[in-house]
Amino acid sequence: MMRLPRFHYFAPRELGEAVQVLAGEEDAMVIAGGTDLLPNMKRRQQTPRTLIGLRNIDALKRLRNGPDFTIGSGVTLTSLVEDEKIKSDYRGLWQAAAQVATPHLRNMGTLGGNICLDTRCNYYDQNYEWRKAIDFCMKKDGEICWVSTGSKKCLATSSTDTAPALISLGAKVKLVSANEERTLALKDLYQDDGIHYLKRRKGEILTEVMLPDSSGLRSTYWKLRRRGSFDFPVLAVAAAIEFDERDNIKDARVALGAVSSQPIVCATVNEFLQGKRLTDEVIEGAAALCAKAAKPVKNTDFAPHWRKRVLSRIATYALQELRGDDMRETRKKIARQYL
Ligand SMILES: Cc1cc2nc3c(=O)[nH]c(=O)nc-3n(C[C@H](O)[C@H](O)[C@H](O)COP(=O)(O)OP(=O)(O)OC[C@H]3O[C@@H](n4cnc5c(N)ncnc54)[C@H](O)[C@@H]3O)c2cc1C
Ligand code: SF4
């Protein structure tokens, strides 16, 4: 049995108290649902001496309607899936949240934890003894990357389901520390580095996610995973498109998940789609550009070249769904559920 290491635990009721404790502790991390962090601690991948629990902070659990639709970082994935506005207006986010893990994990797991989810790699997601036996890697305790021994940086994969969906919807996030508060586009929170995958500053807590008005926007999220019941994505396509009254594309945002150390914003696809209608040829062209942007490496399920090839098929399904095609049976085949 893998046991947790010893740690101090704080359970503040106010955000102000949480950021003060975080600022004052040398080796501290925040914990929300704990569904990612606690297994990592058991495997000694993350070993904070202090944990600051966010579950008692009611201010982080609110959903608010206003000029932006605001979701507290402590809102659970189950609450997201049960929210009617998210289901109807931010469909891509709803589809992403509904495919994270299992119902039990979604009851505990939060949106903030999903956004800040640790990157994944077959050589890293193992217990301490396994990693010690082959020698540790640079993400924790070692110096080499076993995926690419010549690489100077860790190539672990961004595996969050909600981040690509949120990025395609144009989400912003608010980060609060003891000294300051800042808001940035979610896409700018990430960077292409498997160890330092977040540009979160020391002492910052992600408090809110802001989604712009969804009028006229159609969105979708498609994910491929090995197990149909539950699994992390091995590739994912999120797309949000605004059409004019003639079904020409006014604005398009496509983001890819699980094919790099950060969610990839497909700028070339977005430019390519501007002003066009979603004909079969246009969809084929956009899907090919998506596959070109993906950079899968050999550290997760399935061979990288196969993931890249299949990505264009998944992107095709996503765009066909946004065009209004009936994709329910294809969905059922891939996601094992109607979404
Ligand atoms: C069997 C299994 C299957 C899973 N499948 C999937 C899957 O298919 N897709 C998927 O995306 N995830 C999956 N997960 C991972 C996890 O369950 C979810 O990502 C979940 O949403 C994480 O949220 P949490 O609140 O539990 O995060 P936690 O474990 O509490 O935290 C995760 C990380 O985020 C940081 N953090 C949390 N909240 C904040 C905040 N407000 N501000 C700053 N940092 C914060 C923590 O310090 C930690 O580093 C799976 C996990 C398991 C065990
Ligand atoms: S990509 Fe390389 S450095 Fe990163 S976790 Fe995997 S083996 Fe370790």
Side-chain angles (χ1 to χ4, degrees), residues 30 32-37 77 101 110 113-114 116 161 206 223 231-232:
V30 294
T35 60
D36 180 50
L37 183 53
L77 297 168
T110 63
N114 194 249
C116 299
D161 276 307
L206 194 158
K223 153 184 184 175
D231 223 334
F232 286 92

Side-chain angles (χ1 to χ4, degrees), residues 119-138:
T119 51
R120 296 179 61 76
C121 168
N122 285 346
Y123 293 89
Y124 171 73
D125 294 308
Q126 306 290 342
N127 66 28
Y128 182 84
E129 288 73 22
W130 191 99
R131 287 182 288 124
K132 189 177 175 195
I134 63 153
D135 198 2
F136 297 107
C137 76
M138 69 168 89

Side-chain angles (χ1 to χ4, degrees), residues 267-291:
T268 50
V269 183
N270 302 352
E271 276 165 33
F272 172 79
L273 288 173
Q274 290 295 324
K276 296 196 169 79
R277 289 166 74 100
L278 282 180
T279 61
D280 286 347
E281 294 71 33
V282 168
I283 289 178
E284 196 184 324
L289 287 173
C290 285

Side-chain angles (χ1 to χ4, degrees), residues 14-209:
E14 303 293 333
L15 179 63
E17 198 190 333
V19 290
Q20 286 301 337
V21 179
L22 192 55
E25 294 285 324
E26 202 29 59
D27 187 14
M29 285 181 81
V30 294
I31 179 165
T35 60
D36 180 50
L37 183 53
L38 293 178
N40 281 5
M41 287 174 67
K42 286 185 175 180
R43 294 187 292 248
R44 306 303 191 260
Q45 292 157 327
Q46 289 170 313
T47 48
R49 273 187 294 176
T50 302
L51 286 184
I52 300 154
L54 303 179
R55 290 188 67 197
N56 292 335
I57 304 176
D58 289 338
L60 299 180
K61 296 183 197 163
R62 293 187 193 127
L63 285 155
R64 282 199 320 269
N65 232 335
D68 283 339
F69 183 62
T70 305
I71 310 171
S73 62
V75 170
T76 65
L77 297 168
T78 295
S79 304
L80 278 191
V81 174
E82 287 173 352
D83 189 272
E84 285 304 322
K85 183 171 171 69
I86 293 175
K87 187 172 181 181
S88 62
D89 296 2
Y90 301 104
R91 189 82 182 175
L93 173 60
W94 181 81
Q95 290 164 332
Q99 291 182 83
V100 173
T102 64
H104 302 86
L105 289 160
R106 291 196 294 272
N107 287 344
M108 292 297 291
T110 63
L111 184 62
N114 194 249
I115 290 172
C116 299
L117 181 71
D118 194 12
T119 51
R120 296 179 61 76
C121 168
N122 285 346
Y123 293 89
Y124 171 73
D125 294 308
Q126 306 290 342
N127 66 28
Y128 182 84
E129 288 73 22
W130 191 99
R131 287 182 288 124
K132 189 177 175 195
I134 63 153
D135 198 2
F136 297 107
C137 76
M138 69 168 89
K139 187 157 160 73
K140 178 69 178 157
D141 297 328
E143 276 159 25
I144 196 165
C145 172
W146 291 115
V147 174
S148 171
T149 48
S151 180
K152 295 258 181 293
K153 70 171 183 175
C154 165
L155 305 168
T157 303
S158 167
S159 303
T160 148
D161 276 307
T162 62
L166 287 165
I167 288 171
S168 73
L169 288 163
K172 290 185 187 152
V173 285
K174 190 195 271 188
L175 295 148
V176 176
S177 69
N179 310 318
E180 63 168 341
E181 188 177 303
R182 64 186 177 120
T183 299
L184 68 161
L186 176 60
K187 68 179 171 54
D188 297 330
L189 182 65
Y190 297 101
Q191 58 190 358
D192 193 15
D193 181 324
I195 297 173
H196 307 290
Y197 56 96
L198 291 179
K199 291 189 228 163
R200 191 161 70 91
R201 295 179 191 151
K202 196 169 166 357
E204 280 185 332
I205 294 180
L206 194 158
T207 57
E208 284 178 355
V209 178

Side-chain angles (χ1 to χ4, degrees), residues 194-337:
I195 297 173
H196 307 290
Y197 56 96
L198 291 179
K199 291 189 228 163
R200 191 161 70 91
R201 295 179 191 151
K202 196 169 166 357
E204 280 185 332
I205 294 180
L206 194 158
T207 57
E208 284 178 355
V209 178
M210 285 86 82
L211 287 167
D213 180 30
S214 63
S215 315
L217 203 67
R218 284 183 227 161
S219 62
T220 188
Y221 180 78
W222 285 71
K223 153 184 184 175
L224 188 73
R225 54 188 169 184
R226 182 179 280 275
R227 276 177 302 199
S229 52
F230 73 97
D231 223 334
F232 286 92
V234 291
L235 64 88
V237 177
I241 296 188
E242 198 183 336
F243 295 90
D244 68 14
E245 56 292 342
R246 294 176 164 190
D247 267 353
N248 291 320
I249 295 172
K250 269 167 73 178
D251 195 12
R253 280 186 301 266
V254 177
L256 309 179
V259 283
S260 163
S261 295
Q262 64 178 343
I264 294 181
V265 180
C266 294
T268 50
V269 183
N270 302 352
E271 276 165 33
F272 172 79
L273 288 173
Q274 290 295 324
K276 296 196 169 79
R277 289 166 74 100
L278 282 180
T279 61
D280 286 347
E281 294 71 33
V282 168
I283 289 178
E284 196 184 324
L289 287 173
C290 285
K292 210 167 164 193
K295 310 263 178 271
V297 290
K298 209 174 170 199
N299 62 357
T300 183
D301 251 352
F302 302 127
H305 68 274
W306 185 85
R307 282 160 69 208
K308 206 170 163 70
R309 187 151 48 86
V310 173
L311 194 136
S312 76
R313 175 103 331 251
I314 299 290
T316 301
Y317 296 154
L319 295 173
Q320 285 172 335
E321 190 175 70
L322 290 184
R323 181 170 65 182
D325 295 10
D326 183 353
M327 301 302 290
R328 280 176 297 178
E329 287 313 310
T330 314
R331 269 279 186 204
K332 182 84 194 311
K333 216 160 69 187
I334 291 182
R336 309 286 162 84
Q337 54 184 315

